[in-house]
Amino acid sequence: MTVLAPRTVDELERILADSPDHTILSGGTDLMVEVNLHGRRPTAIVSLRSVEELHAWTFDHERVTIGAAVPYATMEVGELAGLVPALAQAARTVGSPQIRAAGTLGGNLGTCSPAGDGLPVLSALEATVHIRGNGDRRDVPFADFMVGVKRNALRAGEFVHSVSIPRVDGWQGYAKVGTRNAMVIANASTCLVRDRSAGRVRVALGAVGPTILRCPEAESWLAANSDLRGNTPPSADVRAEFSRLVSQASRPIDDHRSTAEYRRHAVGVLARRLLERSYQ
Amino acid sequence: MSTPSGIGSENYSLTVNGRSHDVKDSWIGESLLYVLRERLGLPGAKGACEQGECGSCTVVVDGRAVCSCLVLAASVVDTSIVTVEGLGDGGRLSDVQQAFLDCGGVQCGFCTPGFIVAVHHLLESVPDPDDHQIREALSGNICSCTGYGRILEAVQQVAVARRSK
Amino acid sequence: MNTTNTIAPPRPGTLGTDASRPDGVAKVQGGFAFSSDMWAENMLWGATLRSPHPYARIVSIDTTAAWKIAGVEAIITADDVPGLATYGLIMQDQPVFARVGDTVRYTGEPVAAVAADHPETCKRALAAIRVEYEVLPPVLDPETCIDGTAPVIHPDGNVLRHQRIVSGDPTVTGDVVVEGLYEVGMQDQAFLGLEAALALPDPGGTGVELYIATQWLHEDRKQIAACLGLPEDKVRLVLGGVGGAFGAREDISLQVHTCLLALRTSRPVRIAYGREESFYGHVHRHPAKIWMRHHADRSGRLVKVESRMVFDGGAYCSTSPAVLINAITHTQGPYKCDNAVVEGWALRTNNPPCGAMRGFGVVQACFAHESQMDKLAAACGVDPVRIRLLNAMQTGDRLITGQIVDSVAPVAECIRETAAIPLPPDMEADPNVLDLPGGSGRTADRHHIKRGVGWGVSIKNLMYSEGFDDYSTARCRIDDGVVTLKFATAEVGQGFVMLAQQIARTVLGVDEVLLDTIDTQVGSAGSSSASRQTWMSGGAVDAACRAARDELFKMVAADNGLDPSRLAIDGTDIVEVGGSFRRPVVQAARGKRVDETREYHHQPTEDLDENGQGNCHVAFAFVAHRAVVDVDIELGLVKVVQVATAQDVGRVLNPKSCVGQVEGGIAQGLGLAVMEEIVVQDGRVRNPSFTDYLLPTFLDAPQVDVVFVEEFEPKSPLGAKGVGEPPCISVTPAIANAIRQATGRDLPRVPVRPSDICL
């Protein structure tokens, strides 16, 4: 039998240490597309289905920790959605309900597509990726985890155990543009977090660069030019300049889904609208 | 069933609609959709995209409605799988199946089994869905014939009937 | 009991009622056998190797490595085609396989096929076949075929058809002139049930049986038999369950390949395309560029229409010439116009082959003329509804081809009925995010949205044109009281199987009607296309049932000493008009055998002459659409809120079914308006998947409010017109016009892309 189904994280770690070429299977929504359509022929598979620890999520007053194998459907509604609303909003846009019942944040991180819907949220919330493998544990900030188009910081024998997301005093939201009203890959997406205690916003952009992009210039400029702690929204001029700076931070390309020009425009609009929403 | 020479060696069993089925000499990359259709004689789940973008292959695995084209068959050995063939009661139509017929929700019928499974699953989790909930829950099931109008009516009709029971 | 003075409701299951589909139970239970579900003992899988280049000479094909893969049972190329090397509906210009020394002319053209014991083995074998290509610069711009700068890429030339229409006085001009250059993208039929077939070879390879999802069994058989080098009676086709068609199953795709592999291996072979291969395996809706100029008097009354239409037919002919003729002969739309100068071209390029799709050329023409009508309305300072009513065609009007419209033509009624449908309420103060453009992406808030309303009205020909006798055949047997119908009409989801039973129940007064297998063991039914089967096969079934009934009357009359001409069906009884005889049909038919086969032919049509004059079409149907859209102006996203429509149907034969056709067609037209497009770049399809070729989902489908305009069509055997195509034609420009109204943008192209609106 070449599909292994470990029950514990230790067991999983041992399997991958012995055979780092085993393919990790979580929800299957990326891997099986590769197998069905793109000629990928795994010879041995480790399924995360029975590793209960990876299917759990916890929280305390500082952070929410989500196991790598928790499906998006769990993030969309209920308590977890209340704790990380931007993630809930992003989860709701992932593929179809069927995909959300299977697909996981661990899979999003494993694949590391710039259009991965969960990733801008992890970026803007400055999440930490907890990695296991080779008898070791590493905590990698999301910013250092995604290193390129479909490339991440995982080494042979390693796997994503969980992601922890700091709880923020403030507002968070996610918006995504596609050319239909459901089940669509992002042409551009934006997550905005307004951290009231820090008096800052954090903005992360999806599908407009080789990795998820943060917008440090736009973030700093806005912090310097408006009151992000209070309830008074920035002026229209300030919002417009913020929008322009966000667009400027994007590095989109033309492809069959959209154009660079549109994507650049869209993230600016989304960031401005999210900022406005954060005051509603 | 045809047994490939040289590429298949996986042996396992799956529990589908409450029955255990043996799968022999299969290729490791086979999807649950392929195994159901080509090895277990359960062709109700349909394949139309191979990448989770149409919902025609929807089945329920351990209580979750998923696309069987994206399930590695050999990885669901310890689960309970329900296909369209497992709905209804001994050949009698379920209320959802009957409503699809009564409301004109079936034309070519290729998307129908996936829809039937998805609707059953929806109504089990949300017995009294409003139109938005129906539309969103079924937004992963593509139909190119009906424009969804008659399907919406069918789901509404079942919800109303179940409520008055 | 005498019931002649009361109008009884129609008997359940007869014409005019919501009869049930005979295939419905199997379809909801998952047991209905689509062609992809067909299976046979000892079956092999087939697969096709396709060209990765749009234009290239094949230098060599080396199958040595592929043959070494265990489980591979056959590899075939052009050298293994025993009969005609090419096929095609109008011209036989498309090779079964591209041959060494010859060229491939589009990306995806078949080069070889394999049969093996598992789909995965097939994939490995295809990957192991080495094909050496000499890549050539492809012809991608159809205009270069007109100006002659393109190299000739096929022995039959690069012009598939060129036709002019000159009508009335070509020199006349109007006080008001509007013009525009419009573009329609390449749409895919995107049926859900992918191409699939199972071929069973006869012992000794003397013949073959093919289970196939197709629109026209007999035309397929003709082409397959020619390529196999077998007489037609040795090629038996049986309709495998068809998962939608929309025009994509008119042409040969995998039929010949499957049969060849089965004959070569002497084993059953199934080929089943995946979605990507399906995008390469069938023809698409023609992308078109259409220039139009309308002349009108100051009130807005049309004086002249001018147009130049360029249709990119792609690499092979398919039905391009007929699509072009449909487009140019519908230039005027459903409006009276005496003068016209129209020029149309269908051209051969190295782009994907294009052919039939629901609407068949009229979709493209309608997008242009309905865009023009709004421009004309604006130029004349007239309301878009008023300008359409002012010009609405009527029965008896002369078309620009010189043909008189002798069909019922309730254009004004369709417009008025549509206008009478209430508009949807304004958006709520706090709308559900799913109702906003962008949907679950949460891109917009209420104040970002602007609403627009737009109109589209169309005329569509029914049946085949230009002298083609697309007749249909049906057989009705009554055997010991049991009625059985047989026909070769392809049931593609439209519900003909249901209609056939309704006709038989109505004519024969029986409730149980059996349907024989749909196959080639009876005469041709023609294609399930061109909105023609209700009229044509409905006519054939009706004629066969009437003939059988009359035979039965003779027998019953003889048994009972009655005059057969005085017998009639009343409900489920045979009665003597004015007499006392009454007997249930089932009882009267006991022990009797009747077997009647009838063909139905429509009135003959003519070719167009060099000025595009001639009675080329059989009949016409009309429809009006009004679309209401919400647009996020800044992001260019659109949500179609409501489509109101009134359609000329002659007579409603099955209300539920008609509504289903209308709603489905509207969704398809919506797809073309805002999302569905095959993106072709350098001769390659960039989005051959359902991830990137976007079909409307449940959350994109609008509310549809439909009214049927029922005016019995005397030319039609059942009084009914086909309802399949009209719904998808003018809804596209209606939506485009609504977006224009909301945004003030010109939007000369569909699909309207977000960037077209906001950048």
Side-chain angles (χ1 to χ4, degrees), chain A residues 29-31 34 105-114 119 145-146 148-152:
Chain A
T29 55
D30 284 337
L31 177 65
E34 293 289 309
L105 216 43
N108 233 195
L109 287 164
T111 300
C112 257
S113 159
L119 303 183
F145 181 83
M146 185 175 185
V149 177
K150 299 198 173 180
R151 287 195 300 125
N152 60 35

Coordinates of all heavy atoms in Angstrom, one line a residue, chain A residues 29-31 34 105-114 119 145-146 148-152:
Chain A
T29 N -7.4 19.3 -3.3 CA -8.0 20.1 -4.4 C -6.9 20.7 -5.3 O -7.3 21.2 -6.4 CB -8.8 21.3 -3.7 OG1 -8.0 22.0 -2.8 CG2 -10.0 20.7 -3.0
D30 N -5.7 20.7 -4.9 CA -4.6 21.1 -5.8 C -3.9 19.9 -6.3 O -3.7 19.8 -7.6 CB -3.6 22.0 -5.0 CG -4.1 23.4 -4.8 OD1 -4.9 23.9 -5.6 OD2 -3.5 24.1 -3.9
L31 N -3.6 19.0 -5.5 CA -2.8 17.8 -5.9 C -3.5 17.0 -7.0 O -2.9 16.6 -8.0 CB -2.5 16.9 -4.7 CG -1.7 15.6 -5.1 CD1 -0.3 15.9 -5.6 CD2 -1.6 14.7 -3.9
E34 N -3.4 18.4 -10.4 CA -2.1 18.1 -11.0 C -2.0 16.7 -11.5 O -1.5 16.4 -12.6 CB -1.0 18.2 -9.9 CG -0.7 19.7 -9.5 CD -0.1 20.5 -10.6 OE1 0.9 20.1 -11.1 OE2 -0.7 21.6 -10.9
L105 N -6.0 25.5 4.6 CA -5.0 26.6 4.6 C -3.6 26.0 4.4 O -2.8 26.6 3.8 CB -5.1 27.3 6.0 CG -4.9 28.8 6.1 CD1 -5.6 29.5 5.0 CD2 -5.4 29.2 7.5
G106 N -3.4 24.8 4.9 CA -2.2 24.1 4.7 C -1.9 23.9 3.2 O -0.8 24.0 2.7
G107 N -3.0 23.5 2.5 CA -2.8 23.4 1.1 C -2.5 24.7 0.4 O -1.7 24.7 -0.5
N108 N -3.2 25.7 0.8 CA -2.9 27.1 0.2 C -1.4 27.4 0.4 O -0.8 27.9 -0.5 CB -3.8 28.1 0.9 CG -4.6 29.0 0.0 OD1 -5.1 30.0 0.4 ND2 -4.7 28.6 -1.2
L109 N -0.9 27.1 1.6 CA 0.5 27.4 1.9 C 1.4 26.4 1.1 O 2.5 26.8 0.7 CB 0.7 27.3 3.4 CG 0.1 28.4 4.2 CD1 0.1 28.0 5.7 CD2 1.0 29.7 4.0
G110 N 1.0 25.2 1.0 CA 1.9 24.2 0.3 C 2.0 24.6 -1.2 O 3.1 24.6 -1.8
T111 N 0.9 25.0 -1.8 CA 0.9 25.4 -3.2 C 1.5 26.8 -3.4 O 2.2 27.0 -4.4 CB -0.6 25.3 -3.8 OG1 -1.1 24.0 -3.6 CG2 -0.6 25.7 -5.2
C112 N 1.2 27.7 -2.5 CA 1.7 29.0 -2.6 C 1.4 29.7 -3.9 O 2.3 30.3 -4.5 CB 3.2 29.1 -2.2 SG 3.4 29.7 -0.6
S113 N 0.2 29.6 -4.4 CA -0.1 30.4 -5.6 C -0.4 31.8 -5.2 O -1.0 32.1 -4.2 CB -1.4 29.8 -6.2 OG -2.0 30.8 -7.1
P114 N 0.1 32.8 -6.0 CA -0.2 34.2 -5.7 C -1.7 34.5 -5.6 O -2.1 35.5 -5.0 CB 0.5 35.0 -6.8 CG 1.4 34.0 -7.5 CD 0.9 32.6 -7.2
L119 N -4.0 33.6 1.5 CA -2.7 34.1 1.7 C -2.6 35.6 2.0 O -1.9 36.0 2.9 CB -1.8 33.7 0.6 CG -1.7 32.2 0.3 CD1 -0.7 31.9 -0.8 CD2 -1.3 31.4 1.6
F145 N 7.7 33.1 4.4 CA 7.4 31.7 4.0 C 7.2 31.6 2.5 O 7.7 30.7 1.8 CB 6.1 31.3 4.7 CG 5.6 29.9 4.4 CD1 6.2 28.8 5.0 CD2 4.7 29.6 3.3 CE1 5.8 27.5 4.7 CE2 4.3 28.3 3.0 CZ 4.9 27.3 3.7
M146 N 6.5 32.6 1.9 CA 6.2 32.5 0.5 C 7.4 33.2 -0.2 O 7.6 34.4 0.0 CB 4.9 33.2 0.2 CG 4.5 33.1 -1.3 SD 2.9 33.8 -1.6 CE 2.6 33.4 -3.3
G148 N 8.2 32.8 -3.7 CA 8.0 33.1 -5.1 C 6.7 32.4 -5.6 O 5.9 31.9 -4.8
V149 N 6.5 32.5 -7.0 CA 5.4 31.9 -7.5 C 5.4 30.4 -7.3 O 6.3 29.7 -7.7 CB 5.3 32.1 -9.0 CG1 4.1 31.4 -9.6 CG2 5.2 33.6 -9.3
K150 N 4.4 29.9 -6.5 CA 4.4 28.5 -6.1 C 5.7 28.0 -5.5 O 6.0 26.8 -5.7 CB 3.9 27.7 -7.3 CG 2.6 28.1 -7.9 CD 1.9 27.0 -8.8 CE 0.5 27.5 -9.1 NZ -0.2 26.6 -9.9
R151 N 6.4 28.8 -4.8 CA 7.5 28.4 -4.0 C 7.5 28.9 -2.6 O 7.1 30.0 -2.3 CB 8.8 29.0 -4.7 CG 9.1 28.3 -6.0 CD 10.5 28.6 -6.5 NE 10.7 30.0 -6.7 CZ 11.7 30.7 -6.1 NH1 12.6 30.1 -5.3 NH2 11.8 32.0 -6.4
N152 N 7.8 28.0 -1.7 CA 7.8 28.3 -0.3 C 9.0 27.9 0.4 O 9.9 27.3 -0.2 CB 6.5 27.8 0.4 CG 6.5 26.3 0.3 OD1 7.5 25.6 0.4 ND2 5.3 25.7 0.2

